[in-house]
C-alpha cells in the first residue's frame, strides 16, 4: 500500500514521522482504483526473465544513492 511505502521511506531514512492511513474511498480521485492492485510477476518468470529484486532492498539502495548525492558523499 502507499501507506506502507511511505512508512518504509521514513523508517529507512530514520525520520520520526506519523503517517495516517486512509482507504481509497476517503481519498477520491477521478481515476478508478482497483480493489487489489498487487503486481503479479508470473509473466516475467514464464518468459525467462530474472526475478525482480525485493522492493525494500531497491528502495534502500535508491534512498542511499539519492541522499548521498544530495549531501555530496561519493559512492565508490
Amino acid at each position: 500500500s502507499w501507506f506502507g511505502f511511505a512508512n518504509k521511506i521514513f523508517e529507512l531514512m530514520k525520520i520520526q514521522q506519523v503517517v495516517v492511513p486512509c482507504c481509497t474511498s476517503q481519498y477520491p480521485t477521478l481515476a478508478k482504483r482497483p480493489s487489489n492492485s498487487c503486481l503479479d510477476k508470473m509473466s516475467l518468470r514464464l518468459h525467462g526473465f530474472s526475478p525482480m529484486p525485493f522492493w525494500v532492498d531497491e528502495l534502500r539502495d535508491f534512498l542511499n544513492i539519492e541522499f548521498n548525492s544530495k549531501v555530496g558523499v561519493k559512492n565508490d
Side-chain angles (χ1 to χ4, degrees):
S1 69
W2 286 111
F3 169 73
F5 185 62
N7 272 324
K8 186 55 70 175
I9 291 170
F10 290 121
E11 175 188 327
L12 293 172
M13 296 299 294
K14 297 179 175 43
I15 297 171
Q16 294 292 321
Q17 178 64 49
V18 175
V19 179
V20 180
C22 70
C23 59
T24 302
S25 64
Q26 295 172 305
Y27 189 78
T29 65
L30 293 177
K32 299 294 181 202
R33 303 289 184 211
S35 59
N36 182 355
S37 59
C38 291
L39 177 62
D40 180 15
K41 301 175 273 189
M42 183 184 301
S43 187
L44 293 174
R45 290 190 301 273
L46 290 175
H47 290 91
F49 289 95
S50 298
M52 290 178 66
F54 185 51
W55 70 271
V56 175
D57 296 335
E58 294 300 304
L59 177 61
R60 182 181 295 109
D61 290 347
F62 172 79
L63 292 173
N64 284 333
I65 290 168
E66 286 298 304
F67 178 75
N68 289 336
S69 70
K70 299 285 188 259
V71 295
V73 175
K74 294 188 183 213
N75 292 325
D76 293 327

